[in-house]
Amino acid sequence: MIRIGDVLVSKGEGGVYSERMLDGYRVWDPYRSKLAALYLLGKGIELVPGMKVLYLGAANGTTVSHVADYTEVVYAVEFAPRPMQDLLEVARRRKNVMPILADASCPEQYAMLVEAVDLLYQDVAQPDQAAIALRNCIFLKKGGHLVLMLKTRSVDIRKEPAEVFRDTLDILISAGLTIVESTWLAPYHQDHAAIICEK
Ligand code: SAM
């Protein structure tokens, strides 16, 4: 990942969401992007040229645009029509972003559009986040990685965040994934955790 001093950046055309520019690079803000927070916490899977990414919960393409700056192709799934309008604009300016209007809990809706990927990134903030991730592992190459951004309060508001975190780890391990690392995203995002698994 490219850093200028302590600042995480990506190399690409700016002006996607009024992000700052630094020495010609786009500043990737950890308070706006959980993935940027993960990298600034010293964890995560390195994004490299040639990498194929399936991104679930693309929203308006803020993080998608940075991922696309580093990788070969990003299949960006989002089910809400409003953010999809912004995502389409990101895709117009970044030819390696493939926007897909679909429900990530039904991967059969987009199976014909997506190839096997090296990285499955999920940020959907749903109660059944782990189940959605597992369903989409059909697209993940053996040895590929899942990065699951867990919003613990969306899974079960009555449970302690730490309990939701542990339960989710158990679900992923029971499904046969290997946990590579996991971390809370504080101080950037409260009650959010990142779980990185290998298939
Ligand atoms: N990843 C984005 C970023 O960093 O710029 C932020 C994502 S936001 C926390 C969660 C997004 O997931 C919302 O835009 C929501 O509409 C979308 N989402 C939630 N459930 C979904 C589902 N089942 N399928 C597709 N998108 C979903």
Side-chain angles (χ1 to χ4, degrees):
M1 308 307 297
I2 310 168
R3 290 172 190 239
I4 300 175
D6 291 341
V7 181
L8 182 69
V9 296
S10 68
K11 193 178 182 179
E13 190 193 351
V16 176
Y17 59 99
S18 65
E19 68 277 30
R20 279 195 306 123
M21 300 299 287
L22 182 62
D23 295 347
Y25 289 84
R26 303 174 63 222
V27 173
W28 194 355
D29 182 350
Y31 291 96
R32 295 194 63 156
S33 167
K34 286 161 222 134
L35 188 54
L38 182 65
Y39 289 127
L40 286 174
L41 290 166
K43 297 179 190 297
I45 301 298
E46 196 81 0
L47 301 174
V48 292
M51 193 178 238
K52 299 176 199 299
V53 182
L54 174 57
Y55 190 122
L56 309 176
N60 51 10
T62 303
T63 300
V64 165
S65 67
H66 288 287
V67 174
D69 286 346
Y70 280 98
T71 60
E72 182 178 314
V73 63
V74 184
Y75 297 95
V77 178
E78 171 57 53
F79 74 175
R82 177 63 196 88
M84 177 52 78
Q85 287 176 22
D86 294 338
L87 183 61
L88 287 173
E89 179 57 22
V90 172
R92 199 180 62 77
R93 293 168 56 181
R94 279 178 170 67
K95 298 300 174 206
N96 61 340
V97 172
M98 315 294 272
I100 300 173
L101 181 66
D103 183 346
S105 56
C106 305
E108 60 278 8
Q109 286 182 1
Y110 45 90
M112 72 299 282
L113 302 173
V114 176
E115 60 190 314
V117 297
D118 307 286
L119 179 66
L120 171 60
Y121 180 77
Q122 174 173 312
D123 183 17
V124 294
Q126 291 283 356
D128 56 345
Q129 276 178 67
I132 292 174
L134 290 174
R135 253 173 255 153
N136 281 273
C137 280
I138 50 165
F139 300 111
L140 194 56
K141 293 177 189 172
K142 191 164 165 31
H145 291 95
L146 161 69
V147 175
L148 173 62
M149 293 302 180
L150 182 68
K151 186 175 180 184
T152 58
R153 298 282 178 198
S154 292
V155 174
D156 192 337
I157 191 75
R158 297 158 305 176
K159 281 190 183 169
E160 282 300 313
E163 191 181 349
V164 174
F165 194 179
R166 274 196 309 275
D167 291 350
T168 307
L169 289 171
D170 287 345
I171 293 170
L172 298 172
I173 293 167
S174 302
L177 295 173
T178 304
I179 308 293
V180 177
E181 55 188 5
S182 59
T183 181
W184 291 105
L185 294 178
Y188 303 108
H189 302 269
Q190 296 305 322
D191 295 333
H192 281 80
I195 302 174
I196 297 141
C197 309
E198 187 177 322
K199 180 170 172 180

